[in-house]
Structure formats: C-alpha cells, structure tokens
Amino acid sequence: MPLPDSDIVKDRMGATALRDTLERDLLADRWGIGEKLPTERELGAHYGVARNTVRRALDALEQQGLIHRHVGRGTFRSMPAGSAPANDESLSPSDVVECRLILEPEMISLAVARATQADIARMAECLRGTDEAPDLARFEHWDAELHDAFALGTHNAAVIAMSRSLARVRERTDWGQLKARGNTVERRAILQEQHHAMVNAVRQRDRSSARQVMRDHILFVQGYMFSD
C-alpha cells in the first residue's frame, strides 16, 4: 500500500516522533495484518530521516509487538495481542501447560535464530523484573512478559498470537491459585535459574540449550502445579 500523506514528510524528525507516527498509522490499519511495510530506505525518504532513525523507530515498534521483521524479506504488520480467538475460558490450566510444552521449546529455538539485539535487551529487562519482584503478583507479571519476549523474538505473527492466547489463561483466578499453592522460595529460585539459562542461551545463539532448558522449565512448572 502507498505511504500515507503526512504534514511531516520531508521535515526532520527523531526516532520517537517517527515511531509515534508509524504507530498511529498501524493502529489505524493503514497496513493490514501480515501486510508488508515500505522498506527502511522508502520510509526514510518519505519522512526525511536517516535510515538509522528509521531503524530505531522500527526497533521500538517491534518491541511493542506491532510489527515483525524477517531478514531478507522485510517488515510486516503483526497480529494484535487481542486478535486470537477469545474462548480462553474453555481452556483448562493443565491443557494449557501441555500445549506450552509442545509450543515453547521450539518457540525459543526460533527466537535464538531470529532475535535482534533489541529483543534480547527486552528479555534482559524482564529478567531483571523477575529478579527484583517483591511478591508473587509482580513475579508472575514479569514471568509472563519474559515468555512474551521470547515469542516476539521469533518474529512470527502466528507464534506470537498462539503464545499470547495461551498466556491469557495466566490471568484467571484458577491459574493464580495453582501457582500460589506451589510458590516457595526454593521453587522460585529454580525458576529464576531456568529463566537466566534461557536468556543466556538466546544471547549465545545456542538453540539446543534453549530448547532443553525451556522444556525442563515447563515440566518443572507442570510438576508443582498439578502434583497431588
């Protein structure tokens, strides 16, 4: 689709202003889900900015989950977080954990191959959040954000949508009760050790280790959430 007319075309702007402009256009459905955006060169020429400014703006939009990029293919509009089927109430926590066991080891393996430095920085930020969480609620928040960062690191709109659909079950009361039942200092320490190992595997581009640690992590959660 052609670029939109804009009063700021050919005016100099910073990455933040460009991000805000592109975010507004994306949320207004200027580009459809899965549609390819103009190239960095085309965006820079249209808005009168350098390519590194365009790149910083796109990095920010990618962290927000509004776009995803493929090396050699281009930049694409991502599926919004709330666009997956909204029948989450029918999904039991045990079914969701089993599905995560199928999805997430391969998801993080793909993230190892595709994650940008901005993606890895977001993972590190979430990791600090879990390290510093003062209570279970904040720990669960940053835990969910970390797994979402792994999904975003795949740059695959379908994977992101599926991951977020499963993640919404974490917001339900029954999930919270199961997690609270197993919340101990010792278990949280193990979870954090696994979180650090996963982020380190992404940094090291070690797909085998990332896959294995994620599998061990979900099996550990499954064990303490649903044990008698």
Side-chain angles (χ1 to χ4, degrees):
M1 179 176 293
L3 284 161
D5 292 332
S6 173
D7 292 337
I8 57 174
V9 174
K10 300 186 184 305
D11 287 344
R12 301 298 295 180
M13 61 163 60
T16 300
L18 179 58
R19 179 204 64 198
D20 292 344
T21 298
L22 292 174
E23 179 181 7
R24 183 170 60 250
D25 288 336
L26 286 162
L27 295 176
D29 293 326
R30 178 71 65 175
W31 296 283
I33 302 300
E35 185 175 349
K36 187 176 180 179
L37 274 65
T39 65
E40 290 180 1
R41 185 182 302 277
E42 289 168 339
L43 288 169
H46 182 75
Y47 291 106
V49 298
R51 287 188 67 180
N52 64 335
T53 300
V54 174
R55 197 168 293 119
R56 290 199 303 273
L58 294 178
D59 284 344
L61 293 170
E62 192 167 29
Q63 288 189 48
Q64 294 173 241
L66 292 174
I67 61 170
H68 58 282
R69 289 182 282 183
H70 294 287
V71 176
R73 292 177 55 197
T75 301
F76 300 83
R77 167 80 186 276
S78 293
M79 182 179 292
S83 294
N87 58 347
D88 307 319
E89 291 302 318
S90 66
L91 304 178
S92 73
S94 60
D95 286 349
V96 166
V97 173
E98 287 181 353
C99 190
R100 288 182 61 192
L101 192 56
I102 296 169
L103 172 67
E104 294 196 40
E106 295 307 317
M107 179 181 82
I108 196 171
S109 175
L110 188 58
V112 168
R114 294 184 175 176
T116 65
Q117 290 304 309
D119 294 325
I120 295 172
R122 174 59 180 167
M123 294 171 196
E125 178 185 356
C126 296
L127 196 58
R128 286 193 296 273
T130 52
D131 281 337
E132 299 169 2
D135 51 41
L136 178 60
R138 294 305 297 167
F139 180 83
E140 276 291 289
H141 166 78
W142 284 111
D143 187 350
E145 289 292 309
L146 178 59
H147 284 267
D148 190 60
F150 292 139
L152 289 172
T154 68
H155 298 268
N156 182 306
V159 170
I160 294 166
M162 286 189 288
S163 177
R164 287 177 170 176
S165 178
L166 295 175
R168 283 197 293 274
V169 177
R170 298 172 68 126
E171 301 171 3
R172 288 172 16 195
T173 301
D174 53 352
W175 180 279
Q177 290 172 340
L178 286 166
K179 286 300 291 285
R181 185 179 69 180
N183 181 42
T184 66
V185 173
E186 293 77 16
R187 282 174 177 153
R188 188 172 315 180
I190 293 171
L191 291 173
Q192 276 304 88
E193 182 179 352
Q194 293 168 337
H195 286 155
H196 278 268
M198 285 187 280
V199 174
N200 187 58
V202 176
R203 286 197 185 102
Q204 298 299 318
R205 304 296 181 179
D206 188 337
R207 299 184 74 168
S208 178
S209 292
R211 187 186 293 114
Q212 186 60 55
V213 175
M214 179 66 84
R215 178 175 172 77
D216 292 344
H217 175 68
I218 297 173
L219 284 171
F220 178 69
V221 171
Q222 184 182 52
Y224 76 74
M225 283 184 69
F226 304 107
S227 61
D228 293 332

